[in-house]
């Protein structure tokens, strides 16, 4: 799954390094049939693996202090996408290992993802269409040009792209287009899609991913 990000890291994600912090991160994008999205980022088990007490404390404080003020990497990443309303931060656990939940709402999933890819320097277009009661989210990437590194808080979101979970609030996903749909209400990028993205970057090609659902 990480092959795609190994290639992308050499050009874009190198700027998104987070030191020696270890954590479990899950992005859940709660998607309405019309395309509205509630984007929730759950960071749990956050702790430094530094052996030296002083460095470990320094790294952990560098994470939790901004989070307590709603200014940590996840919050700044969502804010960079111009959400509808404020970015909400909930510190579930204030001591190591930390647990923080960050969330924001967007009126359209295509605009949110389009802003993400553009901010991070990717040549991509994202569209949302509806025909015959089927809604399609299309993500087109053009890797024919060398990716220009971008210094933006949005990189904190892009580095987790392979772990995005799309959850329908109503309706059912349709299989295919680069996504696995385990129970028709959840969708994740397939391993094949991630491999294809890696190939497209290496070969400087175009690639399209499509997520479709009925309602």
């Amino acid at each position: 799954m990480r092959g795609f990000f190994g290639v992308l890291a050499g050009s874009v994600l190198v700027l998104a390094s987070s030191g020696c912090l270890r954590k479990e991160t899950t992005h859940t994008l709660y998607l309405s049939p019309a395309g509205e999205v509630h984007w929730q980022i759950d960071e749990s088990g956050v702790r430094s693996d530094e052996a030296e007490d002083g460095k470990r404390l320094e790294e952990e404080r560098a994470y939790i202090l901004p989070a307590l003020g709603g200014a940590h990497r996840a919050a700044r990443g969502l804010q960079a996408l111009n959400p509808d309303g404020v970015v909400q931060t909930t510190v579930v656990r204030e001591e190591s290992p930390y647990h923080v939940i960050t969330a924001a709402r967007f009126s359209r999933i295509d605009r949110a993802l389009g802003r993400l890819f553009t901010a991070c320097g990717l040549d991509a277009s994202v569209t949302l269409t509806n025909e015959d009661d089927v809604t399609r989210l299309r993500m087109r990437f053009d890797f024919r040009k060398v990716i220009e590194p971008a210094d933006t808080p949005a990189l904190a979101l892009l580095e987790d792209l392979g772990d995005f979970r799309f959850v329908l609030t109503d309706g059912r996903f349709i299989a295919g287009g680069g996504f696995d749909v385990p129970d028709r209400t959840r969708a994740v990028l397939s391993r094949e899609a991630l491999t294809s993205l890696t190939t497209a970057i290496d070969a400087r090609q175009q690639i399209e991913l499509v997520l479709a659902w009925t309602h």
Side-chain angles (χ1 to χ4, degrees):
M1 177 178 290
R2 294 297 176 181
F4 164 54
F5 302 101
V7 174
L8 201 56
S11 51
V12 176
L13 298 184
V14 68
L15 297 173
S17 174
S18 58
C20 296
L21 283 179
R22 296 292 178 261
K23 59 183 177 179
E24 294 292 331
T25 304
T26 301
H27 290 248
T28 304
L29 285 78
Y30 293 99
L31 185 62
S32 79
E36 298 175 352
V37 63
H38 179 206
W39 192 326
Q40 180 174 295
I41 305 172
D42 190 302
E43 298 175 293
S44 62
V46 185
R47 68 197 319 164
S48 171
D49 64 358
E50 276 286 352
E52 185 179 326
D53 291 345
K55 289 184 178 180
R56 182 171 64 252
L57 179 61
E58 181 181 355
E59 286 191 346
E60 292 182 346
R61 285 171 61 85
Y63 170 83
I64 194 59
L65 291 181
L68 289 169
H72 54 302
R73 291 179 73 241
R76 289 186 290 112
L78 287 174
Q79 189 61 52
L81 306 187
N82 297 319
D84 299 304
V86 299
V87 175
Q88 298 179 325
T89 299
T90 303
V91 179
V92 180
R93 181 179 169 85
E94 295 186 24
E95 56 186 341
S96 181
Y98 307 107
H99 185 181
V100 177
I101 299 175
T102 314
R105 294 183 180 275
F106 300 86
S107 60
R108 289 177 63 97
I109 181 66
D110 55 332
R111 293 173 185 167
L113 293 179
R115 291 168 186 167
L116 170 63
F117 300 142
T118 299
C120 293
L122 299 182
D123 188 349
S125 66
V126 186
T127 60
L128 187 70
T129 59
N130 181 271
E131 184 177 358
D132 297 329
D133 292 326
V134 176
T135 301
R136 289 181 174 84
L137 176 68
R138 297 182 183 274
M139 293 171 275
R140 299 182 178 92
F141 299 91
D142 189 346
F143 298 118
R144 290 176 296 180
K145 296 180 181 179
V146 176
I147 299 172
E148 295 293 337
D151 187 3
T152 170
L155 286 172
L157 312 180
L158 183 66
E159 64 182 351
D160 296 326
L161 180 63
D163 296 317
F164 281 18
R165 300 177 183 178
F166 298 84
V167 178
L168 271 180
T169 59
D170 191 20
R172 295 173 66 83
F173 282 121
I174 301 173
F179 290 84
D180 289 331
V181 287
D183 59 9
R184 301 296 181 179
T185 62
R186 296 176 297 141
V188 296
L189 277 170
S190 67
R191 291 182 179 274
E192 291 78 9
L194 291 169
T195 299
S196 296
L197 281 166
T198 302
T199 301
I201 293 174
D202 287 338
R204 296 191 178 182
Q205 297 175 335
Q206 296 174 299
I207 187 172
E208 179 179 86
L209 303 174
V210 181
L211 180 59
W213 60 90
T214 61
H215 50 85

